[in-house]
């Protein structure tokens, strides 16, 4: 059970106007739904919105459906020390039945400081089968004064009986311009870096922020340079490069690092294909490298780029299932080179 965390009000949530509007309408009704399922990709604001909802529900003087920011519950929530907010997260790889039973015991008591206790379960699909069945009983007869919010990526990953007992709210991927503006205005990201982070994040503000803080753009440059190198060196050297790349990664972060590499290679081929079919340049992901992309696009044909994207897409799927990541990357590199064996030029 994670402790309370700092909260921002509805008015500062980026790119989820429809979801916020639906929740504000629910708060003003006489009877509040006891359970919600927030559906969307990671990093689009589901937990942030859940905590903003906790503020609005417990505010002593709400303004236009939002917390006032001045009353005691608001101040506690904004400071991250409000006792009636719980966040249930995986203990290791999963949310276990013991965590759900502990939650049930807490729900039996009345809220301590506010009108509602708000509990966020994230990600809901991390619940084990036993935990899901136990949680279902809680959903059937929740004690008064509790609002349960499940964060999920895909409802099909949850028990249908759980989904049917929740009010579903869909969270969309955030438009790149909104993420870009937020990065510049709220985090002071350089205006030349923000557009790239916003586009590579695929609509996830959380992912864009994580990439900024981890020096992702420097890593991107290294990975794209390696792709260019692999297209020029002999096949045997390319395979050796793939083997060295995997071996120097730590076992704990190997899958994540390889996923980053494959994803970045996909953005490069995707941008090349966009230019090749004369698509709008404002849709480029690696927008800061548009000059290099235009030069590179001259060397490839549409068939090569399409085959390469399919190969990388398959490699991303296989990465989750196969243990031998070294062999996987070697085969992917060979496949990319075979796509080009007949000459990638236009």
């Amino acid at each position: 059970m994670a402790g309370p965390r700092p909260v921002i009000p509805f008015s500062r949530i980026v790119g989820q106007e429809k979801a916020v509007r639906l929740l504000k309408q629910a708060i003003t009704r006489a009877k509040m739904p006891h359970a919600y399922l927030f559906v969307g990709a990671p990093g689009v604001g589901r937990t942030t919105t859940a905590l903003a909802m906790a503020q609005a529900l417990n505010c002593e003087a709400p303004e236009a459906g939002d917390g006032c920011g001045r009353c005691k519950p608001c101040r506690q929530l904004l400071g991250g020390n409000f006792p009636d907010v719980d966040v249930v997260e995986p203990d290791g790889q999963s949310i276990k039945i013991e965590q759900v039973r502990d939650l049930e015991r807490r729900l039996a008591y009345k809220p301590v400081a506010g009108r509602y206790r708000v509990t966020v379960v994230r990600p809901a699909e991390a619940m084990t089968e036993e935990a899901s069945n136990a949680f279902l009983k809680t959903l059937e007869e929740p004690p008064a004064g509790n609002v349960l919010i499940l964060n999920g990526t895909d409802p099909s990953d949850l028990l249908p009986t759980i989904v049917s007992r929740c009010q579903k709210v869909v969270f969309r991927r955030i438009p790149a311009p909104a993420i870009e503006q937020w990065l510049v205005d709220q985090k002071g990201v350089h205006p030349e870096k923000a557009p790239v982070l916003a586009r590579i994040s695929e609509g996830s503000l959380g992912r864009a922020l994580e990439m900024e803080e981890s020096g992702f753009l420097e890593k991107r440059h290294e990975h794209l340079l390696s792709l260019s190198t692999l297209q020029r060196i002999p096949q045997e050297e390319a395979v050796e490069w793939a083997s060295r790349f995997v071996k120097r990664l730590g076992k704990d972060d190997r899958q994540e690092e390889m996923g980053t590499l494959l994803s970045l290679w996909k953005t490069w081929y995707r941008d090349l294909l966009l230019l090749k079919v004369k698509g709008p340049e404002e849709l480029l992901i690696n927008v800061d490298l548009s000059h290099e992309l235009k030069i590179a696009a001259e060397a490839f044909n549409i068939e090569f780029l399409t085959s390469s994207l399919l190969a990388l897409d398959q490699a991303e799927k296989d990465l989750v299932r196969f243990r031998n990541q070294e062999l996987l990357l070697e085969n992917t590199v060979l496949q990319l080179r075979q796509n080009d064996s007949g000459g990638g030029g236009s």
Side-chain angles (χ1 to χ4, degrees):
M1 184 86 64
R5 59 189 66 195
V7 178
I8 65 170
F10 279 137
S11 58
R12 290 179 54 194
I13 292 171
V14 178
Q16 300 297 348
E17 290 79 10
K18 183 175 181 180
V20 167
R21 184 168 61 251
L22 288 172
L23 294 173
K24 282 186 174 182
Q25 291 172 354
I27 291 171
T28 59
R29 297 192 196 115
K31 188 175 181 181
M32 183 73 190
H34 68 270
Y36 282 90
L37 173 58
F38 287 2
V39 178
V44 295
R46 293 168 302 168
T47 301
T48 301
T49 303
L51 299 179
M53 186 174 181
Q55 180 188 8
L57 284 169
N58 288 290
C59 178
E60 295 175 353
E63 301 172 352
D66 214 343
C68 70
R70 298 181 298 274
C71 66
K72 183 176 180 180
C74 277
R75 294 197 308 272
Q76 289 180 320
L77 277 155
L78 294 171
N81 56 4
F82 186 67
D84 294 322
V85 169
D86 286 323
V87 180
V88 181
E89 297 177 312
D91 177 10
Q93 296 297 314
S94 62
I95 295 174
K96 300 176 174 60
I97 189 170
E98 292 81 6
Q99 294 175 267
V100 174
R101 287 173 176 164
D102 180 59
L103 171 62
E104 289 174 346
R105 288 190 288 269
R106 293 175 62 84
L107 296 183
Y109 296 98
K110 292 182 178 180
V112 176
R115 292 189 298 272
Y116 288 92
R117 176 188 293 107
V118 176
T119 302
V120 183
V121 181
R122 51 165 267 173
E125 55 265 29
M127 285 190 288
T128 64
E129 183 178 353
E130 295 81 4
S132 295
N133 288 324
F135 190 79
L136 181 59
K137 296 178 182 179
T138 301
L139 281 178
E140 289 172 347
E141 296 181 13
N146 286 286
V147 176
L148 303 170
I149 300 175
L150 285 73
N151 283 359
T153 303
D154 186 341
S156 65
D157 294 331
L158 300 171
L159 291 177
T161 44
I162 286 182
V163 176
S164 66
R165 286 167 171 76
C166 297
Q167 179 75 42
K168 186 169 75 171
V169 180
V170 177
F171 284 70
R172 307 296 182 186
R173 292 189 181 273
I174 304 170
I179 295 178
E180 178 183 341
Q181 183 175 352
W182 185 86
L183 289 171
V184 173
D185 294 346
Q186 301 298 322
K187 294 298 177 180
V189 176
H190 194 283
E192 291 183 2
K193 294 171 62 177
V196 184
L197 293 168
R199 298 180 193 203
I200 293 180
S201 71
E202 298 181 320
S204 169
L205 189 149
R207 186 181 177 207
L209 181 59
E210 181 181 343
M211 289 190 297
E212 158 61 16
E213 294 176 343
S214 65
F216 174 84
L217 292 184
E218 290 74 15
K219 184 180 296 184
R220 177 193 64 140
H221 179 77
E222 178 184 338
H223 287 339
L224 294 182
L225 180 62
S226 69
L227 180 59
S228 175
T229 301
L230 289 172
Q231 293 164 345
R232 297 195 306 267
I233 61 178
Q235 178 173 299
E236 295 77 8
E237 292 183 25
V239 173
E240 290 175 3
W241 177 92
S243 177
R244 289 196 306 272
F245 178 86
V246 176
K247 286 179 177 177
R248 74 168 184 256
L249 298 176
K251 290 185 178 180
D252 292 339
D253 58 2
R254 182 172 292 176
Q255 182 169 319
E256 180 180 352
E257 289 293 329
M258 285 186 61
T260 298
L261 175 76
L262 296 172
S263 177
L264 282 170
W265 283 3
K266 278 180 64 176
T267 69
W268 185 257
Y269 283 125
R270 179 260 187 202
D271 283 350
L272 291 174
L273 183 59
L274 178 71
L275 291 173
K276 205 67 184 176
V277 299
K278 303 188 184 305
E281 292 186 22
E282 56 266 25
L283 296 181
L284 288 173
I285 294 175
N286 299 285
V287 62
D288 58 328
L289 300 175
S290 59
H291 177 70
E292 292 85 347
L293 282 163
K294 290 175 183 177
I295 295 174
E298 296 297 323
F300 302 111
N301 59 37
I302 292 175
E303 181 181 1
F304 164 77
L305 296 171
T306 302
S307 299
S308 297
L309 280 169
L310 290 173
L312 289 167
D313 187 59
Q314 185 61 50
E316 284 186 318
K317 295 176 182 176
D318 292 342
L319 182 60
V320 180
R321 298 179 293 180
F322 296 156
R323 290 180 178 273
N324 194 334
Q325 289 113 339
E326 183 178 343
L327 181 60
L328 171 64
L329 188 57
E330 289 176 357
N331 288 338
T332 302
V333 168
L334 284 174
Q335 199 166 356
L336 293 175
R337 292 179 59 86
Q338 287 168 1
N339 288 344
D340 196 27
S341 60
S346 58

